[in-house]
Amino acid sequence: MKTATWNGKTIAESDKTIVVEGNHYFPPGSVRKEFLQASSTTSRCPWKGTARYYSLLVDGKTNEDAAWYYPEPSTASANIKDYVAFWNGVDVS
């Protein structure tokens, strides 16, 4: 079971994460959406496609662009469509 925590709260928890390039991608249904705030940030991976970001908002604190996902991944990474990965101080263990 993998858990993503930040600012003392569990953001996501699943035993069905997919590991890509060392990052655990959590299934969409395992992420607590009440902590996610859509961001306008995007980035491009040559083989996965365009990533969209969420900021985390927990107990009045914001962690900008701390989560990302691929809403329309390339064929090579179709298995992580809408799965969410974390960084920037989010503990995944």
Side-chain angles (χ1 to χ4, degrees), residues 70-92:
Y70 292 88
E72 296 176 12
S74 67
T75 304
S77 59
N79 62 325
I80 62 167
K81 177 179 173 49
D82 293 328
Y83 276 50
V84 180
F86 300 93
W87 74 309
N88 202 25
V90 177
D91 179 51
V92 176

Side-chain angles (χ1 to χ4, degrees), residues 12-81:
E13 189 172 49
S14 177
D15 60 358
K16 295 183 175 19
T17 63
I18 298 172
V19 179
V20 178
E21 298 178 329
N23 296 301
H24 284 270
Y25 284 78
F26 287 80
S30 71
V31 180
R32 295 181 62 190
K33 302 215 183 326
E34 67 266 27
F35 295 130
L36 303 181
Q37 184 174 46
S39 169
S40 61
T41 301
T42 62
S43 64
R44 176 117 180 99
C45 171
W47 73 275
K48 291 188 296 271
T50 300
R52 303 281 321 216
Y53 287 77
Y54 293 114
S55 293
L56 300 180
L57 182 58
V58 176
D59 292 337
K61 293 188 179 183
T62 302
N63 189 343
E64 295 288 336
D65 300 332
W68 75 93
Y69 67 102
Y70 292 88
E72 296 176 12
S74 67
T75 304
S77 59
N79 62 325
I80 62 167
K81 177 179 173 49

